[in-house]
Structures are given as structure tokens and as C-alpha cells.
Amino acid sequence: MRLSAGDQVIVFNGTDGEWLADVAEAGKKGGVLACATQTRPQTTPPDLWLLCAPIRKERMAFVVEKAVELGVSKIVPVQTEYTQGANRVRQDKLQATAIEAAEQCEALSVPQVLEVQKLKSALASWPTDRKILHCDESLSLKQGHSALTQFSRPAGPWAILIGPEGGFSTTETDHLRTALPDTIVPIGLGPRILRAETAAIAAMTLWQAHLGDWT
């Protein structure tokens, strides 16, 4: 927006890597870029999804931002029994936040942000080859570590499931423990109760350290 014809800018589109481009035309409503040299080849994060119950607008945007930084490939807001304000979630706003976060941290991939869907609906059509790391506040951190160390790299497709403020209901917890016994892996996130956004960051960090591209 502040550049003129003849200037240069770094650009990416999520599929073709990072490029140094020349500003060929610049105007108030648009312009033309000419890609000159590829500066970085395309890279992709691990095949990790984040399923999280929507929380307040600014905190949900924070979760999306950190998910991009920590390397998530898809973000799925899920409505649970205790979720508040699911009907106020703006998918387009969260997708824009993901794009801005990728620009800020120089990531070459932007995770897709889906529309809100009910948790039971998501589980009903869940792909059997994608494991779910269920963050269960009733478990200890030690149990959480052992849950992750039983798996080896390459990790394959995974998802992290974070509940709402107030946690999952008893009915939901029972369903999670029985619905997909070969898919859902419960994990604890320490001896203290974490806010939803903190739990998401902690879980993504643990997964990346044990099974992701941090190792």
C-alpha cells in the first residue's frame, strides 16, 4: 500500500514458495507484481489440525494467531455444550487473522479456518487415520507425557481437541472416551487449570516437541 512502481516486495501464496517481486504498477485500488526470484522454496507444517471451542473474539483471534506460528495446517472451531457465542464466530475474520499471522512470522503456509461445527458432527465423520489428542483436565501431566511418547515419528495426521471455558460436559467426556477408542488419545496439561487459549498453546507445543517438526 505504501510502495511505488520500481520498488520490491516479498510475496507468497501458500503453494509456490516465497518470491522477490518487482512492483510493475501501483494504484489506490490495486497493482501488478512481477515475480523475479524465488527466495525460499515452499514448506508445509506437519499435518496437525486444531479443534477448539470458540471463546471470546479477541482470545479466539489470539488462538488462531498462535496456531499459525506453532505450525497447524487446519483450524476447526467446534461447538460444545458449554460453548458460548458460537453463532458470533466470523470465519472470514479468523481466516484474515491467519493470513496476517503468516505474514508477521514469515510462514509460507496459511491454515484453513473452517466454519463452526458441532463436536458430535465432527466426530461422526472423523477420518479413522487421524488421531485426536484430547486435552483432558482430569489427567496429570505425567499421564500426558506417556500418552505422547508411545508414538513415533513420522507422526502422520493428528488433531488437537481443546474444550471451552468451563471444560467439556460429563456427557461429552464419556462420549470422547468411548466413541473412537483407537483414535482419541487423552492427555493432561499439568496440575493447574488452564484457560482455553493457554491450553491450546501448551498442547500444540507438547505435540510439536514430541511428534512434530521441532524434533
Side-chain angles (χ1 to χ4, degrees), residues 28-76:
K28 292 182 178 180
K29 295 185 178 181
V32 176
L33 299 176
C35 291
T37 307
Q38 188 181 57
T39 51
R40 282 194 293 165
Q42 181 64 37
T43 58
T44 56
D47 191 2
L48 177 65
W49 297 359
L50 175 64
L51 278 68
C52 55
I55 50 180
R56 276 186 270 179
K57 182 173 66 174
E58 68 278 3
R59 291 179 183 168
M60 190 65 184
F62 177 80
V63 170
V64 170
E65 178 184 280
K66 300 310 167 188
V68 175
E69 293 180 29
L70 289 167
V72 166
S73 59
K74 185 177 289 186
I75 300 169
V76 187

